[in-house]
Amino acid sequence: MKLSALQNQLQSLSNIQFQLPDGQQVPEHFHITEAGLTTKRFIDCGGTFRTEKTINMQVWVAEDVDHRLTPTKLLGILKKAEPLYQEEDLEVEVEYQESTISRYGLTFENGVFRFEPKFTDCLAKDHCGIPENQMPQKKETSTTTSCTPGGGCC
């Protein structure tokens, strides 16, 4: 979701609801502790230099269960951060604390902002011999605690 879409949706809401990918709701007493621009400059495995920019919001849940962030207040936070992204209509990413900081994309459906999982990808598939439409396989976790010679685990 781009910043303009987030702002448009917020203008039509009376309250903000966030939903995690597993369907659980983020507690209503969340805070937005950061809003700003994240710039990532890197080189991919094919040797191409790249820059990615996103607008980032950190969603944090504290013990103050009476806290409620209104859509108007969130619009105000985003307005204060505008000098950072200089009117660029960038994708919005959300950080949320789980077992570690998780980063999500954002979508909106039926009055709820949904955190969408993000995935790693090879950006130079043509250099690596990988078909363009191939998605990486989810890693299986092993219950084996030791490694055997030739077993491929170490």
Side-chain angles (χ1 to χ4, degrees):
M1 168 178 286
K2 295 213 179 256
L3 176 62
S4 61
L6 172 61
Q7 291 169 320
N8 287 338
Q9 294 298 343
L10 287 169
Q11 291 175 12
S12 66
L13 296 175
S14 58
N15 68 322
I16 304 169
Q17 295 178 32
F18 287 125
Q19 185 179 58
L20 295 166
D22 66 3
Q24 289 186 35
Q25 296 289 328
V26 171
E28 294 177 331
H29 56 278
F30 69 87
H31 293 251
I32 300 294
T33 57
E34 296 177 7
L37 175 69
T38 301
T39 303
K40 177 181 171 182
R41 292 186 175 137
F42 61 100
I43 186 170
D44 68 25
C45 59
T48 301
F49 288 90
R50 297 177 183 264
T51 300
E52 288 181 359
K53 292 182 182 181
T54 56
I55 293 172
N56 182 276
M57 293 190 315
Q58 186 177 83
V59 176
W60 181 67
V61 178
E63 299 300 320
D64 58 340
V65 296
D66 294 328
H67 179 270
R68 297 293 184 275
L69 183 67
T70 66
T72 302
K73 179 77 172 180
L74 180 50
L75 282 167
I77 292 169
L78 294 169
K79 180 88 173 145
K80 286 180 183 177
E82 280 180 356
L84 298 172
Y85 37 86
Q86 302 172 352
E87 299 182 27
E88 288 186 79
D89 192 20
L90 301 169
E91 286 293 319
V92 175
E93 280 189 350
V94 178
E95 292 179 353
Y96 186 71
Q97 183 72 45
E98 294 180 290
S99 60
T100 188
I101 297 173
S102 298
R103 291 175 50 205
Y104 296 101
L106 195 62
T107 60
F108 185 78
E109 186 179 323
N110 298 324
V112 176
F113 291 102
R114 299 183 193 282
F115 292 1
E116 295 295 326
K118 298 184 69 72
F119 299 95
T120 60
D121 193 9
C122 176
L123 300 177
K125 290 181 179 74
D126 57 329
H127 283 72
C128 298
I130 300 170
E132 187 62 37
N133 60 354
Q134 181 176 332
M135 287 293 293
Q137 298 295 316
K138 183 177 178 182
K139 287 189 175 184
E140 298 294 325
T141 55
S142 173
T143 57
T144 306
T145 58
S146 64
C147 202
T148 58
C153 64
C154 45

